[in-house]
């Protein structure tokens, strides 16, 4: 199916009809035509590198990503002896992170913890091979937490947090695209964004819920010593990543805990941490913020 314009030619051959439930679709939905040609209804299709399915649960895309990342594991093992430490992170970013981070603020906010965990397991396999992390013993694999944090590599959970936050920050700074910016209800006096009140987890699994929620949670942590917000997207990126890496490195190097991946849980933990509270009091906030916010 072709649509012609003076500047471009587009090809259409199929369509996906979104239906969140298992109920039958409305009568006649299979008979869509474009310029007199009938389009084929499919359960999923690839658009701009992302697989969109008729349930919008992103299972197909996550499965695709899993296969994509899995295909690099052997290559990373072969490369471990011939590349030096200085470029290992660059290799990881090129072969693995580039795939995982693409579009993650959309599909990642809708993915369940179970789905993200499968990709996290693959992340760890990639790093064990690339950084030649040996087993602790016959039945225990080598720990990857130190490698993640020393090399500034975010887990799949925090990649989602990071790109969701930076997307919101970019919307605040540029107010574009306008159709998306206009969906944000901003309290300019408090610099907060209204978080929709939703009744079920199903409706919370999207960018427009998670984005404002994360923005509000991290708002006190990204301001400078004069309590001003960053003025550039680069500053936002730096401060968000430093916060997430600090959260990700919490606790011991040989143990991942839920607050390494979840901003809500991490903030609850440090709020009740006597050492953290005392440190905040003694340093009058400035030293703590300098650790987090130096650009």
């Amino acid at each position: 199916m072709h649509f012609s314009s003076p500047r471009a030619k587009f090809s259409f051959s199929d369509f996906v009809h979104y239906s969140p439930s298992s109920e039958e679709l409305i009568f006649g939905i299979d008979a869509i035509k474009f310029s007199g040609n009938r389009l084929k209804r499919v359960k999923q299709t690839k658009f701009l590198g992302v697989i969109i399915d008729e349930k919008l649960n992103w299972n197909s895309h996550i499965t695709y990503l899993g296969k994509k990342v899995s295909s690099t594991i052997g290559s990373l093992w072969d490369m471990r002896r011939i590349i030096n430490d200085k470029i290992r992170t660059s290799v990881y970013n090129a072969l693995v992170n580039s795939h995982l981070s693409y579009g993650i603020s959309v599909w990642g906010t809708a993915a369940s913890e179970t789905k993200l965990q499968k990709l996290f397991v693959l992340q760890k396999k990639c790093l064990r091979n690339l950084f030649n992390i040996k087993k602790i013993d016959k039945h225990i694999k080598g720990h990857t937490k130190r490698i993640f944090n020393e090399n500034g590599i975010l887990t799949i959970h925090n990649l989602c947090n990071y790109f969701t936050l930076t997307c919101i920050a970019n919307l605040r700074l540029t107010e574009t695209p306008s159709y998306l910016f206009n969906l944000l209800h901003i309290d300019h006096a408090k610099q907060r964004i209204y978080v929709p009140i939703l009744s079920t987890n199903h409706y919370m699994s999207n960018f427009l819920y998670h984005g404002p929620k994360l923005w509000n949670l991290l708002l006190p942590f990204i301001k400078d010593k004069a309590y001003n917000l960053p003025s550039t997207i680069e500053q936002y990126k730096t401060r968000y990543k430093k916060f997430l890496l600090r959260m990700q490195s919490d606790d011991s190097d040989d143990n991942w805990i839920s607050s390494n991946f979840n901003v809500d849980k991490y903030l609850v933990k440090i709020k009740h941490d006597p050492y953290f509270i005392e440190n905040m009091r003694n340093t009058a906030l400035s030293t703590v913020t300098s650790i987090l916010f130096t650009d």
Side-chain angles (χ1 to χ4, degrees), residues 86-205:
K86 293 182 179 179
I87 65 169
R88 291 183 195 275
T89 302
S90 297
V91 170
Y92 171 84
N93 287 335
L95 297 182
V96 180
N97 195 61
S98 59
H99 298 296
L100 293 178
S101 60
Y102 184 73
I104 195 171
S105 58
V106 177
W107 61 263
T109 53
S112 67
E113 174 60 31
T114 302
K115 296 173 187 175
L116 291 181
Q117 184 63 25
K118 292 179 180 179
L119 295 177
F120 183 42
V121 169
L122 291 176
Q123 270 189 301
K124 292 188 287 186
K125 286 183 178 179
C126 289
L127 291 181
R128 287 192 183 100
N129 280 4
L130 183 59
F131 287 86
N132 199 22
I133 303 174
K134 301 184 183 301
K135 289 184 177 181
I136 296 174
D137 61 34
K138 184 178 180 180
H139 303 290
I140 302 178
K141 297 176 180 178
H143 297 296
T144 57
K145 188 173 182 179
R146 180 180 59 83
I147 298 298
F148 270 97
N149 297 322
E150 287 183 356
N151 293 278
I153 298 172
L154 295 173
T155 69
I156 187 69
H157 321 77
N158 287 324
L159 272 178
C160 182
N161 289 332
Y162 173 76
F163 280 98
T164 300
L165 284 163
T166 54
C167 281
I168 290 290
N170 195 57
L171 283 171
R172 287 291 312 267
L173 286 171
T174 66
E175 300 186 4
T176 56
S178 58
Y179 69 86
L180 192 54
F181 174 76
N182 291 335
L183 294 175
L184 301 179
H185 301 282
I186 302 172
D187 183 338
H188 293 283
K190 296 182 179 179
Q191 299 175 323
R192 295 170 65 86
I193 302 175
Y194 171 75
V195 180
I197 299 175
L198 303 171
S199 58
T200 65
N201 290 335
H202 170 76
Y203 295 107
M204 296 176 186
S205 300

Side-chain angles (χ1 to χ4, degrees), residues 72-85:
T72 68
I73 292 176
S75 299
L76 295 174
W77 175 257
D78 293 336
M79 281 189 263
R80 76 193 190 285
R81 298 185 186 276
I82 59 175
I83 60 175
N84 59 47
D85 292 339

